Amino acid sequence: MSKPETKPKNRIVKLPYVPHEGQRLFHEDKARFRIMCTGRKWGKTTMLVHEAFRWLGRPNSLVWWVAPYYNLAQLGRRRFMQAIPEFAIKRENKKD
């Protein structure tokens, strides 16, 4: 006799992230579209990984990571996957 299938428990995931002032202003902005002009090493990728993670917690959400070059898109994807705890990943497409 097989065990009855149990539903996974909802878990709250807290990522270790403390935004600096500029990142905090970005996260608090309620505009539908936001454009930033910042320099190197400002923390854009880290900020957007955490922004994407926040949206994924909402019902029926869809998050896209768009970049002008493939290698930049891959960087964002790698950082995002590193930030997510293993229990939260059902499956991962590792083709690239």
Side-chain angles (χ1 to χ4, degrees):
M1 187 171 194
S2 63
K3 292 182 181 179
E5 195 171 314
T6 59
K7 286 187 175 181
K9 293 181 180 179
N10 290 337
R11 294 185 183 182
I12 295 175
V13 177
K14 291 271 187 181
L15 300 178
Y17 170 64
V18 178
H20 61 65
E21 181 66 16
Q23 292 168 328
R24 186 186 60 74
L25 290 172
F26 178 87
H27 290 305
E28 291 174 355
D29 193 322
K30 301 297 182 212
R32 181 173 178 199
F33 299 105
R34 293 168 280 176
I35 298 171
M36 303 206 48
C37 182
T38 63
R40 295 175 65 235
K41 303 291 183 181
W42 190 83
K44 296 178 292 291
T45 303
T46 301
M47 175 184 73
L48 294 174
V49 162
H50 292 276
E51 186 75 11
F53 195 75
R54 281 183 16 184
W55 278 95
L56 281 176
R58 298 176 184 186
N60 302 316
S61 63
L62 176 65
V63 175
W64 286 50
W65 192 285
V66 180
Y69 302 105
Y70 182 77
N71 64 337
L72 292 176
Q74 285 299 94
L75 171 66
R77 180 186 170 279
R78 280 193 307 272
R79 295 260 185 95
F80 185 79
M81 294 306 290
Q82 289 169 353
I84 299 174
E86 279 193 44
F87 74 82
I89 301 171
K90 185 174 182 177
R91 65 183 165 84
E92 177 184 0
N93 181 354
K94 295 186 178 185
K95 284 190 176 181
D96 291 324

